Amino acid sequence: MQKTILITGATAGFGLACSDRFARKGWKLIIAGRRGKRLERFRTGHPDIPIHAITLDVRKRRQVEQCIADLPAAFKDIDVLVNNAGLALGLSGAQEADLDDWETMVDTNIKGLMYMTRTVLPGMIKRNRGHIINLGSVAGNYPYPGGNVYGGTKAFVKQFSRNLLTDLVETKIRVTNIEPGLAESEFSLVRFHGNEKKANQVYKGTQPLTPDDIAEIIHWVTSVPPHVNINTVEVMPVCQSCAPFTIHREES
Ligand code: NDP
Ligand code: 8X3
């Protein structure tokens, strides 16, 4: 039976690469994001694949609920939900960061993910089948300067994923948290509010992860036998490592 995957944030980066990979593997796709034209371009570029495109802002709870309620019959039985829509905004210290940026990250990375999960879960439970794949980050595991609220939102994703597993232990539903490190996408362009120079600096002289690397991992976690749950995948490029502790010493 042809399976159905719902991917949020399918207009760029990981979500777009994931859409492409699952389309090539013969899945039915529900692709969601705010930039509807991009979704439409993807849909018309894959005329042989069943694709339902939804222009959606995951921060809008009613919109999320409505678009799941309105799914065409052929797309209603969602096998995999990839909660990928998310963003970092700014890299300032907490004392200078923009509160609007903080709110947008909380609304998208936490509340949007909550809305999608809560709305899709009842159907999965009814069918006793499904897989929720969340995009966490190494930023949810390790602190770095300016990571403040972004890292906090991804720590939420980590604990929420674990707690979902606990709530769903009597079902066959799987939950996976993918935690990438440095990966090149539109992520830094968004973080620096469209400043290309700053965004390019992030990847200069590195070989970062690619969206295709992440799509491959997402496909892999869905393809292990049904009794196997990959809880967490933490992945970094070889050129990255965790920061050492910082010790500030006063002049003596
Ligand atoms: P991109 O900026 O390339 O893509 C982000 C996607 O999220 C876009 O499709 C965007 O679509 C969508 N999105 C953002 N806000 C909303 C919203 N309110 N409603 C619906 N869709 C939204 O970033 P990545 O692909 O790199 O990031 C994907 C996920 O992976 C994010 O959760 C990010 O935090 C996480 N991540 C990224 C890493 C990296 O280094 N790149 C590393 C670790 C985790 P649109 O603007 O059209 O709505
Ligand atoms: C994205 C990775 O290190 O830029 O989640 O926070 S990082």
Side-chain angles (χ1 to χ4, degrees):
M1 193 183 67
Q2 198 176 20
K3 288 190 174 172
T4 303
I5 186 166
L6 191 173
I7 303 164
T8 65
T11 58
F14 303 169
L16 178 58
C18 211
S19 305
D20 194 52
R21 177 157 301 248
F22 280 84
R24 279 189 283 119
K25 295 285 179 184
W27 288 53
K28 284 194 270 188
L29 305 187
I30 305 166
I31 49 175
R34 290 166 302 177
R35 287 170 287 180
K37 276 190 190 155
R38 288 192 182 197
L39 299 174
E40 209 36 47
R41 203 179 312 141
F42 184 90
R43 204 177 64 78
T44 50
H46 294 78
D48 300 332
I49 311 283
I51 299 178
H52 179 63
I54 311 172
T55 304
L56 170 72
D57 185 333
V58 295
R59 293 171 296 177
K60 302 199 168 139
R61 179 173 161 183
R62 301 276 168 255
Q63 225 183 70
V64 168
E65 290 168 343
Q66 201 57 52
C67 77
I68 298 301
D70 290 347
L71 283 174
F75 292 88
K76 271 203 185 301
D77 293 352
I78 299 167
D79 294 286
V80 176
L81 165 64
V82 184
N83 276 317
N84 165 74
L87 77 179
L89 288 171
L91 196 61
S92 308
Q95 65 281 15
E96 320 175 309
D98 185 330
L99 258 178
D100 288 337
D101 282 353
W102 279 9
E103 275 191 335
T104 304
M105 289 188 277
V106 169
D107 288 348
T108 312
N109 304 356
I110 297 182
K111 291 170 79 176
L113 185 140
M114 273 167 31
Y115 299 155
M116 288 303 306
T117 305
R118 181 62 185 81
T119 309
V120 168
L121 250 184
M124 288 186 170
I125 289 182
K126 208 161 117 202
R127 295 183 290 279
N128 199 17
R129 190 179 84 230
H131 194 162
I132 295 176
I133 301 175
N134 293 328
L135 262 296
S137 168
V138 293
N141 298 337
Y142 313 103
Y144 62 82
N148 41 63
V149 165
Y150 178 68
T153 65
K154 295 303 185 179
F156 168 88
V157 173
K158 169 190 279 298
Q159 197 61 12
F160 183 59
S161 304
R162 287 174 171 162
N163 281 336
L164 277 176
L165 272 175
T166 312
D167 289 350
L168 298 170
V169 71
E170 290 175 9
T171 76
K172 299 212 182 309
I173 299 166
R174 306 194 282 192
V175 182
T176 302
N177 183 27
I178 312 276
E179 304 176 327
L182 185 76
E184 190 163 8
S185 62
E186 292 181 8
F187 179 83
S188 294
L189 195 63
V190 172
R191 171 169 245 171
F192 297 119
H193 297 280
N195 185 326
E196 274 184 42
K197 207 168 151 205
K198 270 186 164 175
N200 292 338
Q201 264 323 100
V202 173
Y203 310 107
K204 197 171 169 217
T206 74
Q207 185 175 0
L209 299 171
T210 66
D212 281 340
D213 295 329
I214 303 305
E216 185 175 346
I217 292 167
I218 292 175
H219 182 259
W220 171 67
V221 303
T222 67
S223 63
V224 295
H227 68 286
V228 177
N229 191 83
I230 307 293
N231 295 358
T232 309
V233 179
E234 186 186 278
V235 51
M236 286 178 172
V238 173
C239 65
Q240 188 175 24
S241 79
C242 310
F245 288 119
T246 306
I247 299 169
H248 173 72
R249 299 182 199 280
E250 299 290 341
E251 297 280 331
S252 54

